[in-house]
Amino acid sequence: TSWYTVPAAVKASGGRVPVYAFVQDNVDAYIVYDQYKNIRYFITKAFRSEVTMLSISSYTDATIKRCYPKAKVIRVGSFVRDEFFEIPYVMPSQRVRVLSTIARAGHLKGFDIFVKAVRELWKRRKDFRVKILNTIRLGQLGDLGFPYEELPPRWKPIGMAEFYASSYAFVYTSMFESFGLPPLEAMATGTPVVMTYNEGSKEYARHGVNALVAEPENYRQVADYLDYLLDNPDEADRLSLGGVETARQFRFDKFMERFKAAIGL
């Protein structure tokens, strides 16, 4: 399920059985930011292996083909687990004004962009709350310049579906993703999404239809979109319905049909 496991799978097969690689990689982050010696060479070598690549998005299609134009690629896509569709739907306009996000380690995950955006928003208004699921695992998040509720890394008393559904809007500011599942999970629960653009997000995110999509790293634009949603709950409701409709296209049963067909089951 990653470029660095492909050679091991090929070697283990001994050429006796077909090998399939479920490709979820976001290799741009490795190539652009990582300083590992010869990383581009090893990524390209992995994707040039004689295997069938099961791709989750148009981004991963392009990544594989860029490394090996003759590669066999079958798009199977990704999915949202059923539990996210089982939450009773409440229109955002009827919810408490809570803005939520997931804090993840590493600059590319964009938590610093979220912090800057909410600081900017906090200067303008204070009629909202902030909820942060902390997966950074580096202790407490500390003073961020605005009040917030911090949920610890192992927070699972009622599940991720409820985490999204208890929010007025979910914010996702990652810069590099091969797909980016959390916004789609939030959509499945009827929660409006404000996010920054990344290549993987184009698989499902449509600005003004099912989300508000800002330019990468543009925290002021993120703050503007949150400001707009707080002032216009009817728009939050409209985006919510668009998100639910989009998420339904990524249900697990449809994914499994494509996956089984791809591997001949």
Side-chain angles (χ1 to χ4, degrees):
T1 60
S2 186
W3 64 266
Y4 44 81
T5 65
V6 171
V10 173
K11 185 176 181 179
S13 75
R16 296 184 297 274
V17 295
V19 178
Y20 298 89
F22 185 51
V23 183
Q24 307 175 82
D25 291 288
N26 173 11
V27 299
D28 285 347
Y30 287 100
I31 293 172
V32 174
Y33 287 92
D34 285 5
Q35 301 303 311
Y36 301 121
K37 184 178 181 181
N38 293 328
I39 191 72
R40 186 190 298 270
Y41 166 78
F42 288 110
I43 290 172
T44 301
K45 182 179 179 181
F47 285 141
R48 289 181 65 87
S49 302
E50 292 299 322
V51 303
T52 300
M53 304 290 183
L54 307 181
S55 168
I56 68 169
S57 68
S58 58
Y59 167 81
T60 52
D61 290 354
T63 296
I64 297 164
K65 291 292 188 178
R66 189 167 65 240
C67 293
Y68 185 33
K70 295 182 179 180
K72 183 178 181 181
V73 181
I74 302 175
R75 175 86 63 81
V76 296
S78 192
F79 65 91
V80 176
R81 299 197 308 271
D82 290 341
E83 67 190 74
F84 292 98
F85 296 97
E86 296 168 356
I87 297 293
Y89 179 74
V90 177
M91 297 175 67
S93 60
Q94 304 303 311
R95 302 182 192 181
V96 177
R97 299 298 193 267
V98 173
L99 309 180
S100 66
T101 195
I102 302 171
R104 299 183 295 170
H107 173 65
L108 299 182
K109 296 303 183 182
F111 181 62
D112 58 326
I113 304 303
F114 170 82
V115 171
K116 291 177 182 178
V118 177
R119 282 178 184 166
E120 176 67 24
L121 185 62
W122 191 250
K123 294 176 185 176
R124 307 177 191 178
R125 60 197 302 162
K126 295 179 170 58
D127 59 343
F128 63 92
R129 292 161 46 194
V130 178
K131 183 169 56 176
I132 302 172
L133 178 59
N134 178 10
T135 67
I136 292 178
R137 301 178 185 275
L138 296 177
Q140 299 298 303
L141 294 174
D143 182 11
L144 300 180
F146 52 85
Y148 62 92
E149 177 186 358
E150 179 180 355
L151 304 174
R154 299 185 184 279
W155 179 82
K156 287 283 185 178
I158 52 177
M160 284 301 298
E162 286 82 356
F163 170 75
Y164 295 123
S166 62
S167 307
Y168 181 78
F170 176 70
V171 188
Y172 194 74
T173 46
S174 180
M175 289 181 281
F176 285 95
E177 297 287 345
S178 58
F179 187 82
L181 191 57
L184 199 60
E185 292 174 340
M187 289 179 188
T189 68
T191 301
V193 171
V194 174
M195 62 190 297
T196 49
Y197 176 83
N198 60 71
E199 284 297 316
S201 69
K202 66 186 180 185
E203 203 69 17
Y204 59 85
R206 301 292 180 270
H207 178 68
V209 176
N210 57 21
L212 296 179
V213 185
E215 293 299 316
E217 301 188 75
N218 192 334
Y219 71 88
R220 287 192 174 89
Q221 193 173 29
V222 173
D224 289 343
Y225 287 159
L226 292 171
D227 205 5
Y228 174 75
L229 283 184
L230 289 168
D231 279 341
N232 296 275
D234 55 329
E235 280 294 281
D237 290 346
R238 185 183 66 81
L239 288 174
S240 166
L241 295 174
V244 170
E245 185 62 30
T246 298
R248 286 174 179 157
Q249 300 170 31
F250 295 87
R251 299 205 65 143
F252 178 70
D253 57 346
K254 298 298 182 183
F255 167 81
M256 283 306 300
E257 289 177 7
R258 297 188 299 271
F259 189 88
K260 288 180 178 180
I263 63 176
L265 293 181

